[in-house]
């Protein structure tokens, strides 16, 4: 437990490489804990080390097959490796594990947007913003705005970017898109 907490502190400070060493230590101390593997794998992914992230996230799923977060990160890692159809299957699995997990819909929707499947992306991102409500996650609103722009739904897009900047006034990307 101590290694995970130490890693989380380092991660919040932007020290991902240092956090990774703590998460790796956590997997050595308790190799049967899905969250140890999930933290380790998702940090590898954040460092752009997707090839290494995949087996770590698969290990998390072996430890807990109902861990929607691990399924979600595995899907994102596979997506980044160009295995897009396989990634979409992982997002479906994540949603089957926990259909109320905001991040499942966020990752899935943004991946579909990148694949230019805009109508499906819109559906998934609408679910994300429905789940998060006004709790303050600007990224979902920014992604939804991008989808609306791609669908020539400009008024909706502007409204999404406005909402994103209200929730996070430091969201430079949303400000840029709102323009």
């Amino acid at each position: 437990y101590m290694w995970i907490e130490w890693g989380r502190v380092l991660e919040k400070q932007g020290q991902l490489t240092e956090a990774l060493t703590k998460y790796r230590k956590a997997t050595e101390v308790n190799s049967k804990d899905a969250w140890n593997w999930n933290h380790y794998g998702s940090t590898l992914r954040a460092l752009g080390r997707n090839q290494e992230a995949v087996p770590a996230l698969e290990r998390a799923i072996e430890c807990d097959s109902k861990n929607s977060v691990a399924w979600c990160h595995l899907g994102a890692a596979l997506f980044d490796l160009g295995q897009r159809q396989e990634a979409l299957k992982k997002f479906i699995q994540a949603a089957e594990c926990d259909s109320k997990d905001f991040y499942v819909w966020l990752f899935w929707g943004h991946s579909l947007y990148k694949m230019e499947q805009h109508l499906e992306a819109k559906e998934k991102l609408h679910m994300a913003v429905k789940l998060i409500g006004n709790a303050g996650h600007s990224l979902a609103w920014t992604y939804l705005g991008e989808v609306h722009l791609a669908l020539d739904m400009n008024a909706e897009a502007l409204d999404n970017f406005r909402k994103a900047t209200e929730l996070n006034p430091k969201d430079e990307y949303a400000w840029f898109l709102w323009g």
Side-chain angles (χ1 to χ4, degrees):
Y1 178 76
M2 169 186 78
W3 295 108
I4 290 295
E5 289 308 311
W6 196 355
R8 290 178 72 184
V9 169
L10 290 166
E11 189 175 353
K12 286 182 182 181
Q13 294 173 349
Q15 299 176 41
L16 294 181
T17 303
E18 294 81 0
L20 184 65
T21 62
K22 305 311 176 207
Y23 294 148
R24 179 66 191 159
K25 183 67 176 171
T27 66
E28 293 167 4
V29 170
N30 184 356
S31 64
K32 295 182 186 208
D33 188 306
W35 286 103
N36 291 349
W37 288 104
N38 185 60
H39 283 292
Y40 183 62
S42 65
T43 304
L44 284 165
R45 190 179 151 270
L47 288 166
R49 295 165 56 182
N50 291 302
Q51 204 70 40
E52 295 170 75
V54 169
L57 293 163
E58 288 173 337
R59 184 70 187 270
I61 292 164
E62 285 174 24
C63 295
D64 178 6
S65 64
K66 296 294 183 189
N67 187 326
S68 65
V69 176
W71 282 107
C72 206
H73 282 292
L74 178 58
L78 291 168
F79 188 90
D80 291 344
L81 290 169
Q83 299 176 37
R84 294 180 170 194
Q85 293 307 315
E86 195 60 32
L88 294 179
K89 291 177 187 175
K90 305 308 180 202
F91 295 132
I92 292 167
Q93 186 65 42
E96 288 174 0
C97 290
D98 186 356
S99 63
K100 296 195 184 318
D101 184 338
F102 159 78
Y103 287 101
V104 169
W105 303 101
L106 181 73
F107 280 52
W108 192 0
H110 195 244
S111 296
L112 288 165
Y113 166 75
K114 289 180 182 178
M115 294 173 67
E116 298 184 9
Q117 295 180 20
H118 299 128
L119 290 175
E120 286 184 69
K122 179 181 157 194
E123 174 189 317
K124 306 308 184 234
L125 290 167
H126 268 293
M127 186 63 167
V129 298
K130 178 182 174 188
L131 287 170
I132 202 68
N134 291 321
H137 204 294
S138 67
L139 194 55
W141 291 100
T142 301
Y143 287 170
L144 185 56
E146 287 180 312
V147 169
H148 281 138
L149 276 180
L151 293 170
D152 289 323
M153 300 173 71
N154 297 328
E156 291 87 346
L158 290 175
D159 191 48
N160 297 147
F161 299 138
R162 178 194 53 74
K163 181 70 171 174
T165 57
E166 285 175 4
L167 292 171
N168 181 4
K170 294 180 181 180
D171 187 339
E172 293 178 17
Y173 188 57
W175 281 106
F176 170 77
L177 291 169
W178 193 16

